[in-house]
Amino acid sequence: MRREEIEAAKEHFGKLIEKQLERVEVMKAQGDFLDYKSLDKIVIGVCGGDGIGPAITKQAQRILEYLLKEDVSKGKVEFKVIDGLTIERRAAELKAIPDDVLAELKECHVILKGPTTTPRKGDEWPNVESANVAMRKELDLFANVRPVRIPEQGIDWTFYRENTEGGYAAGKEGVNVTEDLGIDFTIATSQGCDRIIRAAFEFAKANGKTRVTAVTKANIIKTTDGKFLDTFYEIAKDYPDIAADDWYIDIMTAKLVDEKRRKDFQVVVLPNLYGDIITDEAAEFQGGVGTAGSANIGKRYAMFEAIHGSAPRMVKEGRDIYADPCSVIRAAAMLLAHIGYVAESEKLYKALDICTITEKKLVMTGRDTGATSEEFANYIMETIENL
Ligand code: IPM
Ligand code: MG
């Protein structure tokens, strides 16, 4: 009996290895990043997701249309609204992303995405994979870039979280070998480490940053984190003007609350799961995950998203029109900079600062005691008009 169980687990492991080796070949064959300047037309996908997603994403789209109106009228920019990435459809089809939705996403160059519901144990939904994680894998969006800025505290961090490997690559492919033994897999490839680490150093170089920090637990997770760390110091040699150092995830988590030391971090590059955890911690200092936007960048596609949840209760209670669209608007600002509209992006960041910090004429409360998302988007556009 036991023999059979071991053989079954070995076979499962063999298939997993084959799949990952295929991924390595795909990465090896990959060219350079898409050059948006070389395109006749940039297609921006607007994928609302579910819960409050469609309501807030629509407002971010209005702002993008306003900022890009000239190029939209010239046919240089086109918007494509993609519905159907809802938990209801995903549950009905038992798919992380329905096929037609994935095909539509692949017709775009960049995507603005609202939140999507991730089923968890014990809720009403079947256990479909997270749409976020699936989209990162399907579109090979390997760099998850999450900036956190708190100017008054001297904090200006940019996290480069690896987005396709680590514990997430085979998160749903673990095995229960016997009733008593469960095994999960965590994965690192040379190509996967190389591309995220190089992206972090390139960002540092292009933005005048003087330090890049790697975060791992390579003293314990020796093989995969070890590969990440070795690759990091190898690549650092190509950037002699940038200081490179590394921390273990436990002490890094502590250092982020050390007010004397944390200001010194600039660019931080790290494997998937550590990046997931520490970017929530970092966003909390800035005012919570609701204030952060996140960019998911690959060589062919890029996706920009709000990092908060889909708040289905707000929809049930009819309050989705009052949802705060800030995070997805911030994601839209990142999208603009990414496709080369740097001046428009800066205007939007400025307007966000004015509307949420310095002037704050409207208050969002999530209910009828505050402004609607539409009113907030109008306020942003009026502010830009008067800059
Ligand atoms: C994030 C989220 C996702 C993740 C969830 C929703 C799958 O926490 O974007 O950080 O774990 O990556
Ligand atoms: Mg997270």
Side-chain angles (χ1 to χ4, degrees), residues 23-24 27-28 165 189-196 227:
R23 210 170 57 79
V24 167
M27 284 190 279
K28 278 188 187 164
E165 304 201 332
T189 65
S190 305
Q191 291 71 20
C193 295
D194 188 282
R195 62 187 187 172
I196 183 70
K227 183 185 271 303

Side-chain angles (χ1 to χ4, degrees), residues 198-364:
R198 230 170 254 289
F201 275 101
E202 281 299 313
F203 169 82
K205 193 171 142 189
N207 291 278
K209 308 284 181 195
T210 53
R211 180 179 178 196
V212 178
T213 303
V215 175
T216 68
K217 187 75 185 178
N219 51 339
I220 304 299
I221 314 293
K222 292 188 191 289
T223 310
T224 47
D225 281 4
K227 183 185 271 303
F228 194 94
L229 197 53
D230 288 347
T231 310
F232 175 76
Y233 281 114
E234 222 19 74
I235 291 176
K237 290 184 196 155
D238 294 341
Y239 299 85
D241 297 335
I242 297 173
D245 64 335
D246 81 277
W247 295 70
Y248 294 134
I249 180 67
D250 48 352
I251 188 67
M252 182 68 179
T253 310
K255 281 298 145 200
L256 284 194
V257 293
D258 177 343
E259 287 178 9
K260 280 200 281 307
R261 303 290 297 279
R262 66 180 181 183
K263 299 194 280 293
D264 301 336
F265 294 113
Q266 298 179 22
V267 181
V268 180
V269 63
L270 63 184
N272 210 338
L273 185 57
Y274 310 138
D276 176 47
I277 296 165
I278 225 166
T279 54
D280 270 13
E281 185 195 11
E284 193 64 26
F285 301 136
Q286 180 185 264
V289 292
T291 61
S294 152
N296 298 267
I297 297 168
K299 298 230 165 143
R300 166 64 181 80
Y301 298 100
M303 181 267 278
F304 300 79
E305 63 182 340
I307 70 172
H308 54 73
S310 57
R313 208 175 53 196
M314 284 189 81
V315 183
K316 252 185 230 144
E317 295 170 5
R319 292 189 285 116
D320 48 339
I321 58 165
Y322 299 105
D324 187 344
C326 257
S327 175
V328 72
I329 293 175
R330 207 166 277 281
M334 295 177 89
L335 181 150
L336 284 171
H338 183 74
I339 59 175
Y341 291 93
V342 177
E344 288 77 3
S345 163
E346 272 163 15
K347 280 188 200 166
L348 184 48
Y349 279 122
K350 254 195 212 133
L352 275 164
D353 278 350
I354 294 171
C355 298
T356 62
I357 303 166
T358 50
E359 189 183 71
K360 223 177 169 181
K361 266 202 318 221
L362 292 184
V363 191
M364 306 297 298

Side-chain angles (χ1 to χ4, degrees), residues 7-232:
E7 285 311 314
K10 278 196 210 161
E11 198 181 315
H12 179 89
F13 186 43
K15 288 203 187 112
L16 189 141
I17 293 174
E18 275 168 31
K19 197 166 134 192
Q20 292 303 321
L21 287 175
E22 274 165 29
R23 210 170 57 79
V24 167
E25 292 310 315
V26 172
M27 284 190 279
K28 278 188 187 164
Q30 235 165 22
D32 223 334
F33 284 96
L34 180 65
D35 176 12
Y36 298 97
K37 285 196 199 78
S38 72
L39 301 172
D40 295 331
K41 182 170 76 182
I42 301 178
V43 181
I44 304 178
V46 179
C47 182
D50 53 21
I52 56 170
I56 55 173
T57 310
K58 191 168 137 208
Q59 298 309 324
Q61 181 184 350
R62 286 181 59 223
I63 294 172
L64 284 176
E65 281 170 342
Y66 161 77
L67 282 165
L68 298 173
K69 55 180 175 278
E70 214 168 290
D71 280 1
V72 172
S73 70
K74 284 191 206 145
K76 283 167 101 180
V77 172
E78 185 187 304
F79 288 89
K80 186 175 162 59
V81 176
I82 303 171
D83 297 318
L85 194 64
T86 60
I87 186 65
E88 291 80 10
R89 272 210 54 202
R90 293 162 54 217
E93 298 186 23
L94 288 180
K95 284 223 155 119
I97 305 176
D99 291 342
D100 58 322
V101 174
L102 184 59
E104 282 187 272
L105 290 168
K106 287 188 172 169
E107 285 166 18
C108 306
H109 297 107
V110 285
I111 296 150
L112 183 68
K113 186 181 114 345
T116 51
T117 303
T118 300
R120 59 172 128 190
K121 249 192 161 50
D123 69 13
E124 60 188 297
W125 303 110
N127 192 19
V128 288
E129 189 186 19
S130 142
N132 269 358
V133 174
M135 200 181 295
R136 292 167 188 166
K137 279 192 209 161
E138 291 286 351
L139 305 181
D140 203 14
L141 308 171
F142 62 85
N144 189 183
V145 186
R146 297 185 166 183
V148 169
R149 280 182 53 239
I150 314 168
E152 62 277 21
Q153 291 179 27
I155 291 176
D156 185 357
W157 299 326
T158 307
F159 293 91
Y160 268 72
R161 163 187 176 190
E162 203 293 319
N163 219 11
T164 52
E165 304 201 332
Y168 284 64
K172 63 176 196 308
E173 291 163 70
V175 271
N176 283 309
V177 180
T178 67
E179 231 172 70
D180 301 317
L181 174 64
I183 299 185
D184 269 314
F185 302 97
T186 186
I187 287 155
T189 65
S190 305
Q191 291 71 20
C193 295
D194 188 282
R195 62 187 187 172
I196 183 70
I197 293 165
R198 230 170 254 289
F201 275 101
E202 281 299 313
F203 169 82
K205 193 171 142 189
N207 291 278
K209 308 284 181 195
T210 53
R211 180 179 178 196
V212 178
T213 303
V215 175
T216 68
K217 187 75 185 178
N219 51 339
I220 304 299
I221 314 293
K222 292 188 191 289
T223 310
T224 47
D225 281 4
K227 183 185 271 303
F228 194 94
L229 197 53
D230 288 347
T231 310
F232 175 76

